[in-house]
Amino acid sequence: MSPEEKSRRRKQARKSGNRPDQPTATLSKALTVTLAIAILALALAVRLYGINSAPLWHDEAYTLLAAELPPAQIVDLLKHDSGPPLYYFLLHYWGVSLFEESELAVRSLSTLFSILLIAGIFWAGQRLYSTEAGLLAALIAATSPIQIHYSQQVRMYTLLPLVSLASIYFLVRYLQTSQRRYIALCAVATILCLYTHSFTFFLLPVHLTLILFEGGRQKRWKDLAVMYAVVGFSYLPWLPVFLLQLKNKDPIAWFSLFWQDWGPLEAVAWTLSSFSPGGAQPLIVDGFNVPAFGRVGPACFFGVLVVAGVAHLIKTRWSRDRLGALCFSAYMIVPLACSVISSVLISPNYLAGRVDQMVFPAFCVIAALGICAVPSWNLRWPMVGTMLILSALTLQQFYGRDFAWGAREVSDFISARIQSGDPIVCTGLTRTSLTYYMRRHGGRAKMFSYPRDTAQHLGYQNNIKLLENPDYLAAEAQGIINDMRSASAPGGRFFVVLGYALMVNKPLWEKLSATADLELLEPPSYVGPQNGNNGVVVLRYQFKK
């Protein structure tokens, strides 16, 4: 083949988004569509199964209560938090009227984003690499327990990988084709990503990497400059809130506990393990009781696939299509590397099993390419079967989990005893989920927080900082008792929910016990999951007449 013919084929391939040496698809269109639908159906089934079984925990309930507010009040509330508002806005317009119907109703938005993510992973893998790669990547995403977990959570961790994937895919397509519709779509996706999670700032170096390898060579700087100007201008309304959030370290102070325990290498290892079907999950996700091999086996299996996928891309594409060889490797590695470096040098922001969801699509595609690097389907099928078996073993544990503190049980317990006007004192982070389930019972009891400042930021509580100031905790305990004197119904009754932050709550318990005109109406009641790990103690008091 002459050099002119090779050059012509490269240009033609770049316009279509395929590599010049890509073989003809081995799967018919009808079979491809059938398999894609089957994977999406499987994904939907495993995401809907048991979606009502686990009660909303405090992060979910906080998100839900925030989304009930008008948009302007959502923004004001998030000034005390650490995240952007897009998911809250979408949840608000998804249907406030559904919020008290069931867990399925409030979690369905995340489930929808998860299904769209799987479809997007298939589309990107097929368009940029091959039909087989797209289908295998979609299957990995469909059966990955961590994404099944987040598809059943009222949180933004299915939306984040969806919009980040769109941002990278449309940038790559623009660099391949020079069609401005792709750069417009990239701008929209990047804006949505920035308004979904601040971790998106670590996605921008991926853009820069890809542009330096491909964009500058083709003199597209004007289009790119306009795109980033639009992205920057669109972010300006949120910038003052983001700067306020940077000053407030409390919402992410607990990150440092995991970072001190893990360190950089173990944090990345937890990311690989949590992404892998069958892999163990970090405690923040909910450490499933997987077998002993659960941490090492699946992580090693998929680690080998990822390495094989990167090596396959370099071997088959680097000389002809650097962008195709680089884009998903950079998408996976660069944000995690930036986060690790900033966590070491500035402050911890890398939380395996949560913020790393942004690069989850890249993991799926590269692992799928690792399977495709195996020359024969006679060898690939056992690998796919192993992946499905590992996932099934983990999901068996996942569906039986209950890492919430028992808000449903506590609301049942209190609702059976509460009388009109009885207030409830919530400790720690119990208030949001208890508020939600008390509403499901048709009651809107007056809720109080201990410490009282927690009412200003119900999504987090810095227990380490609180324990450094015992005098403050003692004063807050006395303040709560005084509040109950004025807020209680004529009968003087009120409830106290003592949560799992035992040392922080100890001053309140001591003050209650030492108050002479208080009496317990019944013995302290442990309420919560039967395993005894996450429940709370409910106290019912009355002021003596």
Side-chain angles (χ1 to χ4, degrees):
M1 186 184 297
S2 67
E4 293 79 8
E5 177 64 16
K6 288 182 179 179
S7 177
R8 185 188 66 79
R9 288 187 64 186
R10 281 195 206 103
K11 289 179 180 178
Q12 211 171 27
R14 186 171 286 122
K15 287 183 179 180
S16 66
N18 298 321
R19 62 182 177 89
D21 59 341
Q22 183 172 326
T24 303
T26 58
L27 298 176
S28 67
K29 184 176 181 180
L31 181 58
T32 299
V33 172
T34 300
L35 290 173
I37 292 174
I39 291 171
L40 290 175
L42 171 65
L44 183 62
V46 297
R47 281 155 176 76
L48 292 180
Y49 180 81
I51 195 171
N52 277 329
S53 61
L56 269 65
W57 67 301
H58 64 79
D59 272 14
E60 289 185 279
Y62 171 77
T63 303
L64 201 58
L65 296 177
E68 287 184 331
L69 301 172
Q73 292 184 33
I74 293 175
V75 172
D76 288 338
L77 180 66
L78 292 179
K79 291 177 182 178
H80 303 285
D81 208 313
S82 60
L86 178 61
Y87 184 83
Y88 300 88
F89 289 168
L90 294 175
L91 189 60
H92 176 86
Y93 291 108
W94 179 250
V96 175
S97 61
L98 299 175
F99 286 177
E100 295 176 18
E101 293 297 322
S102 68
E103 286 80 2
L104 171 61
V106 299
R107 289 169 170 161
S108 56
L109 181 63
S110 293
T111 305
L112 173 62
F113 288 141
S114 186
I115 297 300
L116 292 176
L117 171 64
I118 295 165
I121 288 173
F122 164 70
W123 181 260
Q126 180 191 45
R127 291 288 293 169
L128 299 179
Y129 299 107
S130 68
T131 299
E132 290 86 349
L135 289 170
L136 287 170
L139 183 62
I140 293 171
T143 58
S144 178
I146 196 166
Q147 267 299 305
I148 297 172
H149 168 80
Y150 281 122
S151 72
Q152 297 187 352
Q153 294 271 303
V154 190
R155 299 292 286 159
M156 69 288 295
Y157 298 110
T158 56
L159 175 61
L160 176 61
L162 173 62
V163 290
S164 70
L165 171 64
S167 175
I168 295 298
Y169 173 77
F170 289 129
L171 177 63
V172 170
R173 292 293 288 148
Y174 169 74
L175 295 175
Q176 288 176 334
T177 66
S178 298
Q179 295 180 24
R180 288 181 172 173
R181 61 180 171 132
Y182 287 121
I183 202 167
L185 291 170
C186 177
V188 172
T190 305
I191 292 166
L192 293 176
C193 205
L194 283 167
Y195 275 93
T196 299
H197 203 289
S198 297
F199 200 74
T200 302
F201 283 106
F202 296 130
L203 190 69
L204 299 181
V206 183
H207 283 213
L208 179 62
T209 303
L210 300 181
I211 290 166
L212 289 177
F213 267 84
E214 189 75 15
R217 185 176 59 185
Q218 298 184 14
K219 307 298 182 184
R220 299 189 177 103
W221 294 109
K222 183 177 179 181
D223 287 349
L224 294 166
V226 170
M227 182 191 80
Y228 289 112
V230 170
V231 170
F233 183 79
S234 300
Y235 192 72
L236 283 178
W238 185 250
L239 184 60
V241 179
F242 174 68
L243 295 176
L244 279 175
Q245 292 175 338
L246 285 180
K247 295 178 182 178
N248 183 12
K249 303 296 184 182
D250 284 344
I252 60 171
W254 58 278
F255 281 29
S256 62
L257 299 177
F258 289 91
W259 188 254
Q260 291 167 9
D261 185 41
W262 292 341
L265 293 179
E266 190 170 357
V268 174
W270 270 116
T271 289
L272 178 60
S273 175
S274 66
F275 282 0
S276 304
Q281 304 298 321
L283 182 62
I284 184 59
V285 175
D286 180 22
F288 310 140
N289 296 317
V290 295
F293 70 85
R295 174 78 187 280
V296 178
C300 290
F301 177 72
F302 278 90
V304 170
L305 289 181
V306 167
V307 172
V310 173
H312 179 68
L313 285 173
I314 293 173
K315 179 181 178 180
T316 60
R317 283 201 162 202
W318 186 258
S319 62
R320 301 185 180 190
D321 179 18
R322 285 189 180 185
L323 185 63
L326 181 69
C327 59
F328 273 83
S329 300
Y331 177 19
M332 182 174 68
I333 295 170
V334 172
L336 299 183
C338 291
S339 181
V340 166
I341 293 170
S342 63
S343 293
V344 171
L345 298 180
I346 305 173
S347 65
N349 57 71
Y350 188 134
L351 191 62
R354 184 169 285 194
V355 297
D356 53 3
Q357 295 305 298
M358 186 178 76
V359 305
F360 176 76
F363 166 84
C364 295
V365 172
I366 293 176
L369 289 168
I371 297 176
C372 290
V374 177
S376 170
W377 271 105
N378 291 331
L379 297 175
R380 293 178 191 174
W381 283 120
M383 298 171 71
V384 173
T386 300
M387 177 186 75
L388 294 177
I389 291 171
L390 289 173
S391 179
L393 289 173
T394 305
L395 288 175
Q396 183 181 13
Q397 299 290 335
F398 169 77
Y399 289 127
R401 84 209 190 287
D402 186 359
F403 65 96
W405 57 268
R408 275 196 301 222
E409 294 89 342
V410 173
S411 67
D412 291 343
F413 180 88
I414 293 178
S415 295
R417 293 162 175 79
I418 196 168
Q419 299 180 37
S420 178
D422 291 356
I424 303 172
V425 177
C426 300
T427 61
L429 299 176
T430 60
R431 180 168 168 175
T432 52
S433 44
L434 184 57
T435 298
Y436 173 77
Y437 283 105
M438 289 299 294
R439 290 185 185 181
R440 288 269 294 270
H441 277 285
R444 296 201 175 233
K446 191 170 184 180
M447 312 292 280
F448 290 80
S449 292
Y450 169 82
R452 290 173 295 178
D453 284 348
T454 304
Q456 304 301 318
H457 41 77
L458 293 172
Y460 66 90
Q461 180 174 289
N462 190 338
N463 290 332
I464 296 176
K465 185 176 179 180
L466 289 172
L467 289 172
E468 292 173 352
N469 195 346
D471 292 339
Y472 167 77
L473 290 175
E476 285 295 293
Q478 185 59 56
I480 279 290
I481 293 174
N482 294 338
D483 289 346
M484 291 303 98
R485 292 184 191 277
S486 58
S488 297
R493 299 172 304 273
F494 64 95
F495 291 85
V496 177
V497 179
L498 286 178
Y500 34 80
L502 299 180
M503 294 305 296
V504 173
N505 299 333
K506 185 179 178 181
L508 177 61
W509 167 249
E510 291 174 344
K511 284 287 185 182
L512 290 168
S513 301
T515 302
D517 62 339
L518 269 180
E519 62 177 343
L520 275 169
L521 294 179
E522 56 186 285
S525 302
Y526 171 84
V527 184
Q530 294 302 310
N531 59 24
N533 291 329
N534 297 316
V536 300
V537 174
V538 180
L539 306 168
R540 190 183 180 207
Y541 283 100
Q542 184 173 27
F543 286 103
K544 299 176 183 177
K545 295 181 180 179

